[in-house]
Amino acid sequence: QKEVEQDPGPLSVPEGAIVSLNCTYSNSAFQYFMWYRQYSRKGPELLMYTYSSGNKEDGRFTAQVDKSSKYISLFIRDSQPSDSATYLCAMNSGNTPLVFGKGTRLSVIA
Amino acid sequence: ETGVTQSPTHLIKTRGQQVTLRCSSQSGHNTVSWYQQALGQGPQFIFQYYREEENGRGNFPPRFSGLQFPNYSSELNVNALELDDSALYLCASSLQRGEEQFFGPGTRLTVL
């Protein structure tokens, strides 16, 4: 079992839809959870950074962490074609290397 | 504020050659991490440097080596290149160890 599992998609949604992206993990020591957006042939861009369980909102983006289920989510409201990218979840337990999922490729169709 | 920069953007090498990739960390950041991202995969941790010392290493052979300079810029060296080393190499910097990591645009290495 991989430490972090993420459905690679692709996921295709119409413009304006609510997008739900998810990751599961196996290491209960993970405490810090991140979502990165990566456009084709570019470096990952940090979108959300959360600690432990709970929700965090930033504009159209909401990150949720459920440590009891070892499950994290990223919601994108009112999705736009410019949101089309690969979304990577990543996590660690503080001063340890980031462990990434494989990424989910999202296409938002106008 | 300048973000993380990497050079070169693209590189083509042949099997057995050696390569050096460079990274300039974001201003004030003293920690640099290197990752390898194969096509269709998430980034894999290679190693991290904190104040010029290696501070953790992933599951990569010794032919992957690195260096961090007093200005906190960093190099990744790969010797005896293999075809499987073809990937996007990413550098990320953070203000301190254990804090948010900000990535550069990457160097795309192709080994023929």
Side-chain angles (χ1 to χ4, degrees), chain A residues 2 8 32 34 36 38 40-46 49 88 92 94-103, chain B residues 10 35 37 40-45 48 55-57 88 90 97-106 108:
Chain A
K2 278 185 168 273
Y32 296 86
M34 289 130 262
Y36 286 86
Q38 187 173 27
S40 182
R41 297 184 171 269
K42 302 290 185 185
E45 172 195 3
L46 182 63
Y49 181 86
L88 296 155
N92 68 0
N95 186 21
T96 59
L98 288 181
V99 181
F100 283 84
K102 290 180 73 167
Chain B
H10 298 94
Y35 294 82
Q37 186 177 24
Q41 302 294 317
Q44 298 288 313
F45 174 72
Q48 183 183 82
N55 180 50
R57 186 179 184 92
L88 181 67
L90 295 162
R97 289 178 299 179
E99 297 196 1
E100 298 141 276
Q101 295 186 28
F102 298 91
F103 282 82
R108 185 160 297 280

Side-chain angles (χ1 to χ4, degrees), chain A residues 3-56:
Chain A
E3 270 194 298
V4 179
E5 300 274 5
Q6 183 176 11
D7 186 340
L11 180 63
S12 186
V13 301
E15 184 176 357
I18 296 175
V19 175
S20 172
L21 304 167
N22 312 292
C23 289
T24 59
Y25 63 95
S26 57
N27 188 344
S28 57
F30 288 149
Q31 295 187 74
Y32 296 86
F33 303 91
M34 289 130 262
W35 286 95
Y36 286 86
R37 178 174 62 195
Q38 187 173 27
Y39 291 112
S40 182
R41 297 184 171 269
K42 302 290 185 185
E45 172 195 3
L46 182 63
L47 281 178
M48 302 290 280
Y49 181 86
T50 55
Y51 169 71
S52 196
S53 284
N55 293 359
K56 182 175 181 179

Side-chain angles (χ1 to χ4, degrees), chain B residues 11-13 19 81 85-89 107-111:
Chain B
L11 208 47
I12 299 175
K13 292 284 189 178
V19 69
L81 284 167
D85 295 333
S86 295
L88 181 67
Y89 287 85
T107 293
R108 185 160 297 280
L109 173 65
T110 302
V111 182

Side-chain angles (χ1 to χ4, degrees), chain B residues 20-31:
Chain B
T20 298
L21 310 181
R22 295 179 174 82
C23 170
S24 290
S25 59
Q26 198 163 313
S27 178
H29 288 194
N30 61 23
T31 303

Side-chain angles (χ1 to χ4, degrees), chain B residues 28-109:
Chain B
H29 288 194
N30 61 23
T31 303
V32 171
S33 303
W34 286 91
Y35 294 82
Q36 181 195 66
Q37 186 177 24
L39 203 59
Q41 302 294 317
Q44 298 288 313
F45 174 72
I46 303 175
F47 43 57
Q48 183 183 82
Y49 279 85
Y50 169 67
R51 295 189 174 183
E52 303 178 59
E53 297 286 331
E54 188 177 289
N55 180 50
R57 186 179 184 92
N59 189 25
F60 280 81
R63 58 189 185 84
F64 285 77
S65 63
L67 205 55
Q68 188 179 31
F69 299 99
N71 66 355
Y72 302 135
S73 66
S74 178
E75 284 182 357
L76 164 65
N77 299 291
V78 187
N79 293 323
L81 284 167
E82 301 177 0
L83 297 180
D84 283 350
D85 295 333
S86 295
L88 181 67
Y89 287 85
L90 295 162
C91 165
S93 75
S94 52
L95 198 57
Q96 292 288 341
R97 289 178 299 179
E99 297 196 1
E100 298 141 276
Q101 295 186 28
F102 298 91
F103 282 82
T107 293
R108 185 160 297 280
L109 173 65

